[in-house]
Amino acid sequence: MDGIDIIKDKCVGCKACFVACPYGAIEFVEKKAVITDKCTLCGACKESCRFSAIVSEMDYRQGSDLSRYEGMWVFAEQRYGKLKPVSLELLGKARELAARLNAKVTSVLFGYNIGFLARDLIAYGADQVLMMDEEWLGDFNDRIYGELITNLVKEHKPEIVLVGATSKGRSLAPYISSSLKTGLTADCTGLSIDDEGLLVQTRPAFGGNLMAEIVCPHNRPQMATVRPKVFKPLEPDYEKRGIITRIQKEPIEGLVKLIRNIDNAEGQSLTDAEIIVSVGRGIGSAANIRLAGELADALGGVLASSRPLVDMGWMPYSRQVGQTGKTVAPRIYIACGISGAIQHLAGLADIDTIIAINQDPEAPIFKVANYGIVADVKEFLPLLTEKIKQAKKA
Amino acid sequence: MKIIVCIKQVPGTNEVKTDPVTNTIIRENIPAILNPFDAYAIEEAVRIKERRGAFIYGISMGIPAAREVLREALALGIDKGILMTDRKFAGADTLATAYTLSKGIERIGDFDLIICGRQATDGDTAQVGPSLARTLNITCATDISRIIEIKNKEMHCLKITDDGYEEILVKLPALITVVKEINMPRLPSIKGMKLARRAEIDIVRFDDIKADENRTGLKGSPTRVRKVFVPVHQVETSMIEGTLEEKAQKLSELLLSMGMEVK
Amino acid sequence: MDGDFKQVYGEYLRDESRQVGWAESIAFPRTEAEIISNLKEMSRKKIPVTSQGARTGLAASAVPYGGYIINLSKMNKVTGARYDEKEDRFFLTLQPGVLLSDLRKYIANKSFDVTGWDIESLHALKFMEKGKWFYSTDPTESSASMGGIASCNASGARSYKYGSARDHITGLRVVLADGDVLALKRGKCLASGDEFSLITEKGREIKGRLPKYKMPDVRKNTSGYYNKPGMDMIDLFIGSDGTLGIISEIEIELSKTSPVNWGITIFMPDEDKALDLVRALRREIKVAGIDLNLNPSAVEFFSHKALKLLRERQKTSAFSNIQELKDTYHTAIYVEIECSLDDEAWKEVEKLGDVINALGGDEGETWLAYNSVNLEKLHDFRHACPECVNLQIDIIKKSNPGITKLGTDMSVPDDKLKDVMIMYNEGIEENKLDGVIFGHIGNNHLHVNIIPRNMDEYEKGKDLFLLWAEKVAAMGGAVSAEHGVGKLKVPFLKKMYSEEEINEMRRLKKIFDPAQILNRGTIFEYVEGQ
């Protein structure tokens, strides 16, 4: 089997690899593990083997001279003059990583009439801002922005490029990484630098309760997208000095034309909420969701949802908390009837207090909750709401 | 109109449990299924075909068993299924996958539109669509929630964003990724399955495409999974006990003591 | 009644029938011994007792009208297992408060709390292959208790292939009103002709004569006491709605799962063709010479109006995950099949397509689910129907709080299917009511739901149901197919059986519960001394 092999002599038939494989690609022939053609070379088996019986032949290609790449870049996303908070959060993280690498942090800023934002970028951690301020850059366009950044990267050779995993970031980042034929890891929940100076990108994986550590050893820049609220921004320091460079280039043709924006109405957003009441499958039916809504109202909080309810059409995607939804950092998060699958937990950033209510005492959510209650949410929520209302009246 | 739909076969469940003793995943006989997002892509392609006529190719990169999802796609109304399968494709990250698919698409020839599901439920990266578009050097529009009108050289669509929606004009040929809001996928019918079971699926191997073997599979993947682990959570959980009534009382007191501001 | 009791235990005065009763006290026994001591005390004081499981019943059996409540919800353990190696049969012993949904989870995950299990049970558990077994009785309300399921002989869609609760209950322990216990094992206590004799655990003999009435010849029946010459006496207690004793333990037999589980929703262009399809599936008729051997586990029906209601509701988000119902979809038949090989299933499904075409339908207007993800979508569709009705009722209730859902639960013999459909349709139309019909058509058991738009229609609906009960009885059908007679359907039972025959049931009850303290008003009205 190309890529991953079982050393028969070392295999004791303990089946740890069989259990670890997310694709069911391991069988046992005469008590020894055999990898079938369902294998996708993910490497989970190798990790699980305590007898060093699984090896992978990673092809160590000689990439181009990697030592010429240095610097941490953060794409600063702005919309009509307002910076997206995720960019500031990434600047903070970039500073931390840059310290380990002894590197500088550069922020890339595009837009129209946005020059004043460069000061903020420096205050939040950038040493340098590469800026383009043109009318034809007023609206985001993945191809235009992507081409420009790709060329800047080729010119300046940063070692690491971070992009916020917003809807725009998620189409911008792959444009750049594909153009540069380098690696990109989406929705990282953790970033660190290892002893070899490699960027270690951590994210939930295999559609299950596992985490994966991903690296990009031979290609540069190493690219990652990170969801809002995963990291915290630094306290801004407007005394900090930095270099602002304005770049001018020939306009580039976009292939998508924006006709008009249809913006959502302003409402209390999930990402700013102090108290969130979140519902999962345990709520039972669409009609019961109002029970959680009533609790949220009584507490002055916001209603949110785990992914299954959104998939079923009971809640809108804008309320989804989790790896593919929003990351939230309220003071108090009340998870009602949510099992606690890893993708949901990925949406919970640093929260002061997590309270979990679930009928199943074995639900994984109890491992991360500060307070737990084993109860049927359909029965418990109205009781709780009543008590809160009564107590407030008193 | 020539449409290509990218299809992936994924493990059937997101509810993989972990064994608390060995700290490894408990994987049971989870049958593989069509990536749920791809069902929306297939459905949209079939609707376009029903509205104005089209020839739909379904292309998938995967293990031999992935032909089952192509068969399902045929039952739903696509016209031709193509499976790209080869050991040399295995272990691919999103870049290598996009490259390999691009070679398969080159082999098909000219096309007007490529439709992809937004993401695959096993990786959840949502990267293959845009990477493939870039590799093919065509227009890319992600998160499409409605195709309003298809004109000769361009398509009028609605795109979902963090802030709401954008109405956009997309130059053809293009690749779009679609979100669940776009339609309600149909289930295959008996008629469709009868046709699908008799249809032949094109198998495309490494040697059938003029590819660079350093860009496919594990070799062509700049990112590597270095480690897979079960996260350890270190939280002290206090369980609130008592009758339902008592639990509600205690929690209510707890919440109010945390300084809930009455509205 | 004590105001405090109502405040603290208010929820125990009602069940899913929405009737509300009253009571003086409630007990939650944890063991059979506690049930016995409770009952002995009530018996002594001559206080009527109502037994309750999870209170999901629709016929108000669990609703108390005075006296004490004995609620079995705290007896919720699976207490043992038994494996017959020779015959490859698996059995579980459980307490009456075990919920169906929990039981399903335990079996599916093979995760039982084995504290207190004896060695044989632990040994038997070792033989239980995970995924090989399931419990086939499938009433829609999965939060029902096993005691309740046994008491009303519940069943669901799978009854077409698997029968009802009694077909999978092999043992019962019943606590009688005087505190004595009957331990019944299937096959060990048969009546001899119409005479029966049972020995209680204390050694007392209870003997008597079976009633003379004949039960209707239908698969799904839970109207009054089971009665057949030479019957197994355990069947008397199954479906007895708690009137003969309180069940303290049940032994159930599990069924084997099949590797292939598919679902198909078929849309036929009119109701008559849909009924013909059902008859073809049942092998009652042969269409175009095709020998259809599908052997379905369930055959369900959705009327034109039911689809129309769903179609309208699809526009709201609650049902946005249901497949789109084209305007050409008139009436729907849903079939589930189980078999061992994919190829086998494909062959039969292709034949089914030919039959549909031959009947004037279109095999393109079908939804085929051959994996569990899509099967769940079809299940959602199936559940959406009654949910839709409930939603409609909720809306109407806002302006007419006295209105509740009106639904029938009657079944008829196979050859009366078309007649009963005509009867339902004419009844609804003549009275200008708004009604949808759906249900287990495989067993000719349809739920006709009237959605009353005002109190006048509500009363008309109730009258219509009584009239139908009479006609259904005349057709040789059952007035209660799966919900039990409870208290609400007592008038219906009177249409099925004569005064004399109902007195025979009373007589039978008196043998087991002389003071008539158990579940008064259930199955028949309580008449002092009779």
Side-chain angles (χ1 to χ4, degrees), chain C residues 5 32 48 79 150 156 255 299 433:
Chain C
F5 182 85
E32 185 182 276
T79 52
S255 310
V299 183
L433 296 169

Side-chain angles (χ1 to χ4, degrees), chain A residues 73-185:
Chain A
W73 279 25
V74 174
F75 172 67
E77 185 178 328
Q78 62 79 29
R79 188 170 187 252
Y80 307 133
K82 265 189 90 182
L83 277 172
K84 292 281 172 176
V86 66
S87 306
L88 304 176
E89 293 157 16
L90 285 178
L91 278 174
K93 188 68 182 176
R95 272 240 75 78
E96 179 197 311
L97 300 173
R100 282 266 287 156
L101 291 167
N102 222 354
K104 294 229 176 303
V105 176
T106 302
S107 190
V108 178
L109 173 70
F110 293 166
Y112 184 43
N113 287 335
I114 41 76
F116 64 99
L117 294 175
R119 279 268 73 221
D120 296 306
L121 295 172
I122 291 175
Y124 277 90
D127 298 307
Q128 178 179 237
V129 176
L130 292 178
M131 187 182 84
M132 287 187 70
D133 191 334
E134 308 286 348
E135 200 186 337
W136 50 276
L137 290 175
D139 287 312
F140 173 86
N141 181 291
D142 54 356
R143 183 165 195 268
I144 299 176
Y145 280 39
E147 267 307 300
L148 291 169
I149 296 177
T150 300
N151 292 330
L152 285 174
V153 167
K154 283 182 180 165
E155 225 181 286
H156 297 261
K157 298 200 190 325
E159 191 178 358
I160 292 170
V161 176
L162 303 178
V163 179
T166 60
S167 61
K168 295 183 165 65
R170 304 184 78 190
S171 76
L172 176 67
Y175 184 97
I176 302 168
S177 64
S178 298
S179 304
L180 297 168
K181 298 198 183 51
T182 187
L184 172 66
T185 304

Side-chain angles (χ1 to χ4, degrees), chain A residues 1-3 18-24 37-42 44 47 58-59 61 79 84 142-143 147 166-168 170-171 174-175 177-179 181-187 194 200 202-203 206-217 219 255-264 275 281 299-300 307 311 317 323-324 331-332 334 342-343 345 353 355 357 366-375 379-380 383-384 387-388 391-392, chain B residues 11 13-18 22 24-27 30 37 40 63-65 87-88 90-95 98 118-119 121-127 130-132 134-135 137-143 156 158-171 180 214-215 218-231 233-241 244-245 247-249 251-252 254-256 258-263:
Chain A
M1 171 80 26
D2 286 350
F18 169 77
V19 170
C21 174
Y23 297 98
D37 63 4
K38 281 188 184 170
C39 171
T40 64
L41 293 173
C42 75
E47 196 47 44
M58 297 294 187
D59 184 55
R61 280 173 32 214
R79 188 170 187 252
K84 292 281 172 176
D142 54 356
R143 183 165 195 268
E147 267 307 300
T166 60
S167 61
K168 295 183 165 65
R170 304 184 78 190
S171 76
Y175 184 97
S177 64
S178 298
S179 304
K181 298 198 183 51
T182 187
L184 172 66
T185 304
D187 302 330
D194 74 2
V200 179
T202 308
R203 74 186 297 273
F206 300 123
N209 294 323
L210 297 174
M211 297 292 275
E213 266 183 18
I214 297 165
V215 292
C216 179
N219 298 66
L255 298 172
V256 173
K257 189 165 132 199
L258 173 66
I259 299 176
R260 65 180 179 124
N261 288 310
I262 306 166
D263 284 0
N264 286 330
I275 303 162
R281 260 206 263 244
L299 292 170
R307 181 168 167 175
D311 284 352
Y317 176 63
Q323 191 197 6
T324 52
R331 255 199 315 139
I332 297 173
I334 305 177
I342 235 195
Q343 296 98 323
L345 300 184
T353 308
I355 298 166
I357 306 161
F366 288 120
K367 292 203 183 74
V368 299
N370 303 94
Y371 296 95
I373 294 182
V374 176
E379 291 177 11
F380 186 73
L383 265 176
L384 178 63
K387 296 242 172 256
I388 302 232
K392 282 183 174 181
Chain B
T13 179
N14 274 342
E15 284 184 30
V16 176
K17 295 206 180 83
T18 47
T22 61
T24 48
I25 56 170
I26 301 172
R27 190 202 48 74
I30 309 162
F37 280 92
Y40 294 87
I63 58 175
R87 290 270 16 105
K88 293 204 168 115
D93 71 356
T94 54
L95 186 71
R118 182 176 189 258
Q119 67 206 59
T121 55
D122 55 353
D124 272 336
T125 64
Q127 279 169 200
S131 298
L132 177 58
R134 180 66 190 90
T135 310
N137 212 6
I138 56 173
T139 319
C140 177
T142 58
D143 303 332
H156 184 189
L158 206 58
K159 175 191 163 91
I160 202 170
T161 68
D162 294 331
D163 306 290
Y165 294 88
E166 282 177 4
E167 222 180 281
I168 54 176
L169 221 47
V170 175
K171 224 183 217 165
K180 290 186 177 183
N214 289 316
R215 292 184 66 185
L218 197 61
K219 282 192 191 170
S221 302
T223 60
R224 298 283 156 83
V225 174
R226 189 163 84 169
K227 185 168 142 179
V228 171
F229 61 95
V230 178
H233 293 283
Q234 313 261 5
V235 175
E236 261 296 325
T237 311
S238 309
M239 298 303 292
I240 299 180
E241 306 283 359
L244 208 65
E245 183 82 22
K247 286 176 188 169
Q249 183 63 33
L251 183 56
S252 149
L254 181 70
L255 285 169
L256 291 165
M258 287 197 260
M260 296 299 97
E261 281 309 286
V262 179
K263 262 233 203 114

Side-chain angles (χ1 to χ4, degrees), chain C residues 45 64-65 68 73-74 77 134 144 159 171 182 200 223 304 331 368 413 424 436 449 460 492 498 520:
Chain C
K45 295 182 181 164
Y65 287 118
Y68 283 13
S73 57
K74 295 244 152 76
K77 306 232 174 312
F134 76 107
S159 62
L182 274 174
T200 69
S223 331
H304 177 55
T331 307
L368 172 59
Y424 289 145
V436 299
N449 277 275
K460 264 203 200 148
F492 287 18
S498 67
R520 274 186 197 168

